[in-house]
Amino acid sequence: MSFKQVYRWLLAVALLVGFLRVEAQNDSSRSKGKWLPDHSKLQFAGGIGLLSVGAGYKTKKDKLHGDLYYGYTPESVGGLHIHALTAKATWFPLKNINHKTFQVRPLTAGLLVNYTFGKQYFGFTPENYPYNYYDFPTALHVGAFIGGQVNKKISSRRGVKRLGLYYELGTFDREVISYVRNRKALSVTDILNLGVGVITAF
């Protein structure tokens, strides 16, 4: 499967989530759409895949988002085709800045858990390796990030409330451990990764 094919597939999934949400909101019975996500996200980079698509829910006051992403990295970038799932919790600790149809969320912070699929990755040390041969698993990682977001309110009867752009600057447990052990060889910028994305709120 080529990167273009995966990109089209991910984009189709994101559009499908939005379509299902819109159709549910247009239905006379709102209860039928309660289970559908509150938003969809399409993200580039950020340590969870070269391109990732996700969907999730927000709390009542929109201070916390919970999302699940599927990420893909092509062989031309990662050395092999990499597929991953990421569960992410994003917190918005500061008050929003509103100006006409624009909304700025100056600070976001969050945690994530990433799982990479493939026989070459593992959650626990394989039996054919000595105990503690690897200090941490290669398939499962925990990360943290900070960032920001800018949204634009949409006057739409189709159910789309906002379109937004966001960025996240984060790191993972394995990178922090490598930095602590190799401070002379690594700098803080070496363990940081940047992700940018688009969010559609329904």
Side-chain angles (χ1 to χ4, degrees):
M1 183 180 291
S2 68
F3 177 66
K4 287 185 178 180
Q5 290 174 317
V6 173
Y7 170 79
R8 291 172 183 171
W9 184 83
L10 293 177
L11 186 59
V13 171
L15 292 173
L16 178 61
V17 170
F19 174 77
L20 291 173
R21 183 69 185 181
V22 168
E23 290 303 310
Q25 289 188 348
N26 289 339
D27 196 289
S28 58
S29 175
R30 290 188 175 183
S31 61
K32 293 183 179 180
K34 286 183 177 180
W35 60 273
L36 291 172
D38 296 315
H39 54 259
S40 64
K41 297 179 180 179
L42 190 65
Q43 180 173 317
F44 175 76
I48 62 174
L50 182 66
L51 194 66
S52 306
V53 63
Y57 301 89
K58 65 178 182 179
T59 55
K60 187 174 182 180
K61 294 185 178 181
D62 200 16
K63 283 291 187 180
L64 187 68
H65 284 186
D67 301 291
L68 183 65
Y69 287 81
Y70 162 73
Y72 172 74
T73 302
E75 185 177 7
S76 59
V77 175
L80 67 162
H81 297 289
I82 302 174
H83 303 269
L85 280 180
T86 303
K88 184 190 293 184
T90 306
W91 178 44
F92 304 91
L94 301 182
K95 186 177 180 180
N96 298 335
I97 301 172
N98 298 301
H99 179 69
K100 295 182 179 180
T101 60
F102 287 92
Q103 177 192 68
V104 178
R105 314 195 84 167
L107 178 65
T108 64
L111 299 173
L112 61 88
V113 178
N114 173 265
Y115 184 83
T116 304
F117 295 92
K119 294 181 179 180
Q120 65 273 31
Y121 304 105
F122 57 84
F124 301 95
T125 303
E127 293 181 0
N128 56 321
Y129 285 90
Y131 180 71
N132 279 346
Y133 184 82
Y134 287 96
D135 292 336
F136 40 80
T138 58
L140 186 65
H141 296 286
V142 177
F145 62 87
I146 60 172
Q149 186 174 311
V150 177
N151 300 316
K152 179 175 174 54
K153 296 180 181 179
I154 304 296
S155 299
S156 172
R157 296 182 179 180
R158 299 298 298 172
V160 177
K161 296 179 180 179
R162 293 189 305 272
L163 290 175
L165 296 174
Y166 69 89
Y167 78 92
E168 294 173 353
L169 189 64
T171 188
F172 288 87
D173 51 1
R174 64 180 183 271
E175 294 168 335
V176 173
I177 292 172
S178 297
Y179 171 73
V180 171
R181 293 177 175 177
N182 302 279
R183 292 185 181 180
K184 293 182 179 180
L186 297 174
S187 65
V188 174
T189 56
D190 291 327
I191 68 171
L192 296 177
N193 51 74
L194 177 66
V196 293
V198 178
I199 177 173
T200 303
F202 308 111

